[in-house]
Amino acid sequence: MNTKALCVGVILVTSFVIGCASPPDLRQKYYDNKMLELSNIIVNQIDKNSDDFAQKNLYYASSSLELGDERRALEALGRTCVIADNIDLSGVGLPFAFSDKNKVMQGEPYERSMAHLYRGILLYRLGIRENSEDYLNNARASFTKALEHDKATGDEKFRDDNALAHYLLGKAFLLLNDEGNARVAFEKCKQVFPTNSYVALDKAQKNNFTLLIGVGVGPQKVQGKGFYGIGATDEIVTYEPEQKDPQIYIDGTLCGKGELILDVNEQARHRSPQTAKVLASMGRQVLKDQLSRSIPIFGGMLASTESDLRCWDVIPAKIYLFNAQVSSGVHSVRIKFSGDNEESVKRYNQTYYYLPIRENKPDNLYLFLSIKNKHNAGVKK
């Protein structure tokens, strides 16, 4: 059997970390593509009574998806989304003002949005495969939920701007024969990325192959300075991906390039700035008073002197979109990137053999993550 063959499954990456900072050894196993080993470790660590319950489920989902086990991944994502939804979306966007790392975290708005987005993708694929309107309706609901969490972003200018969620919501509406709402969803997506040529109702109706390509390492959290020397805060840091402008080859023929559909780094930068502004305006004495009396603020406690650095630490920094009309059958799909350092960037190139495009299916959706030396071992060009 060809070790680079991919016959079933969507390659999806989720690591929506809730509970504690991601253990470096587990994260390294993920990036080393030791998915079976990682999955076997995690499945024995899942404890529903632990603060790490959601974190472990998302690691399990990540490894299960890479192993092609969409059922287990969907179950794990579902358990995580239940925790992510247990938050008042009318608040300023953060579950805790000064995060107490001993509490169960529900994630930043962009993280919660992405968790629902990935769950929706699996339900969408399942709905097409099973010809199930119920699954497609559940996918639509998940994409809608992703947009609800996106609206919890603190800065009003950047609410409701998860273009990928709008795009996939439009595709779900199309399959549910609701062209009116599909058109609205695509229009909202186009407002975010007006130059993306793939975001069009006619293309979504005609094309049967949709490829999402995740690149780079997503937003990270580092220790912040806090306010007035009291409590602790975290700061978001982002990294520009080395690889960019993915070119898509199908059966050796260049068919086009991926175009940006979601900038996760940008989503993270505008997570909830209102929280910092409100706390800064309170003043040192008020913060001291809250700490001494243990009065809840914004649904949490000013209780920790060490900031909570839990985050979605292997989420892609950016996601690109490509779609086309492809004949049914199995195909090879090669993704080739460009970048400033050609020798380094070529390690991100990848080829998937025996990728199925199913006959009489309105869409075949895949999401691939670009990791160094993944599906490109021995490739010379």
Side-chain angles (χ1 to χ4, degrees):
M1 179 178 178
N2 193 313
T3 58
K4 294 190 289 181
L6 175 66
C7 297
V8 295
V10 57
I11 296 187
L12 253 169
V13 181
T14 60
S15 58
F16 178 59
V17 179
I18 308 172
C20 69
S22 303
D25 57 330
L26 298 182
R27 183 171 61 245
Q28 192 59 49
K29 288 184 186 301
Y30 187 91
Y31 281 117
D32 288 342
N33 289 311
K34 297 179 179 179
M35 299 302 166
L36 184 58
E37 184 178 346
L38 174 61
S39 180
N40 290 336
I41 293 173
I42 292 298
V43 73
N44 294 318
Q45 294 182 355
I46 295 177
D47 178 1
K48 66 180 180 180
N49 296 315
S50 169
D51 292 341
D52 297 334
F53 180 65
Q55 178 193 22
K56 293 300 192 295
N57 270 288
L58 266 298
Y59 266 112
Y60 190 52
S62 299
S63 56
S64 295
L65 286 164
E66 290 286 348
L67 292 168
D69 194 336
E70 296 186 25
R71 180 184 62 82
R72 284 195 171 90
L74 184 59
E75 292 173 352
L77 284 167
R79 291 190 292 265
T80 305
C81 285
V82 169
I83 297 174
D85 289 343
N86 186 26
I87 184 171
D88 181 5
L89 294 181
S90 65
V92 295
L94 283 178
F96 302 102
F98 280 65
S99 300
D100 182 344
K101 65 178 181 179
N102 294 318
K103 295 184 180 294
V104 175
M105 287 293 291
Q106 295 146 315
E108 302 283 355
Y110 76 93
E111 293 172 307
R112 301 193 300 270
S113 178
M114 294 296 286
H116 276 285
L117 182 69
Y118 286 163
R119 182 172 181 266
I121 288 175
L122 289 180
L123 290 166
Y124 178 89
R125 282 174 50 83
L126 191 57
I128 293 175
R129 188 164 61 244
E130 302 293 333
N131 294 316
S132 170
E133 187 173 310
D134 287 340
Y135 282 130
L136 289 173
N137 267 312
N138 287 333
R140 176 195 54 76
S142 287
F143 297 141
T144 301
K145 198 71 178 178
L147 290 167
E148 289 180 8
H149 283 289
D150 185 49
K151 291 176 183 177
T153 299
D155 194 327
E156 293 183 6
K157 294 185 297 183
F158 298 96
R159 292 176 184 172
D160 202 28
D161 67 342
N162 187 321
L164 181 54
H166 282 300
Y167 177 78
L168 293 173
L169 178 61
K171 291 178 71 67
F173 274 129
L174 277 180
L175 296 186
L176 292 168
N177 298 312
D178 188 345
E179 185 174 319
N181 277 319
R183 188 181 302 276
V184 171
F186 287 127
E187 288 174 354
K188 289 185 176 180
C189 181
K190 201 72 171 178
Q191 290 173 7
V192 182
F193 285 107
T195 61
N196 191 311
S197 64
Y198 298 116
V199 181
L201 183 66
D202 60 335
K203 289 187 176 181
Q205 291 172 320
K206 178 181 67 175
N207 294 338
N208 65 341
F209 176 51
T210 303
L211 179 60
L212 302 173
I213 307 158
V215 305
V217 177
Q220 308 284 298
K221 285 185 177 181
V222 298
Q223 183 85 17
K225 297 179 180 179
F227 293 98
Y228 310 107
I230 301 173
T233 59
D234 60 72
E235 296 179 1
I236 293 285
V237 294
T238 58
Y239 306 92
E240 186 65 20
E242 181 180 13
Q243 69 277 40
K244 56 186 177 181
D245 298 330
Q247 294 182 319
I248 314 302
Y249 293 79
I250 300 177
D251 298 329
T253 300
L254 177 62
C255 295
K257 69 176 185 177
E259 298 180 22
L260 187 64
I261 190 67
L262 184 63
D263 189 333
V264 182
N265 283 342
E266 190 70 11
Q267 296 275 311
R269 293 186 191 108
H270 306 287
R271 48 178 183 158
S272 294
Q274 288 181 349
T275 303
K277 292 178 181 178
V278 171
L279 289 173
S281 68
M282 291 173 66
R284 179 183 178 87
Q285 190 55 48
V286 175
L287 289 175
K288 277 188 173 180
D289 183 58
Q290 299 293 337
L291 281 168
S292 63
R293 291 160 38 185
S294 297
I295 296 176
I297 294 182
F298 304 139
M301 302 293 292
L302 293 176
S304 176
T305 57
E306 183 178 349
S307 60
D308 191 335
L309 304 183
R310 294 173 288 189
C311 64
W312 189 336
D313 65 347
V314 294
I315 187 175
K318 297 182 179 182
I319 298 179
Y320 290 83
L321 168 67
F322 169 83
N323 62 43
Q325 189 172 23
V326 180
S327 61
S328 60
V330 293
H331 299 270
S332 67
V333 175
R334 177 160 170 75
I335 304 171
K336 185 177 180 180
F337 296 94
S338 62
D340 296 333
N341 187 330
E342 183 178 349
E343 186 66 22
S344 178
V345 167
K346 72 179 184 180
R347 296 178 61 193
Y348 294 100
N349 298 338
Q350 49 196 283
T351 302
Y352 298 89
Y353 298 103
Y354 312 120
L355 195 72
I357 303 297
R358 296 175 177 84
E359 188 176 6
N360 299 323
K361 296 297 182 183
D363 195 17
N364 293 266
L365 173 66
Y366 294 91
L367 182 133
F368 298 139
L369 176 72
S370 169
I371 298 178
K372 287 183 179 180
N373 300 326
K374 175 183 175 182
H375 294 298
N376 71 350
V379 175
K380 301 301 182 183
K381 61 179 180 179

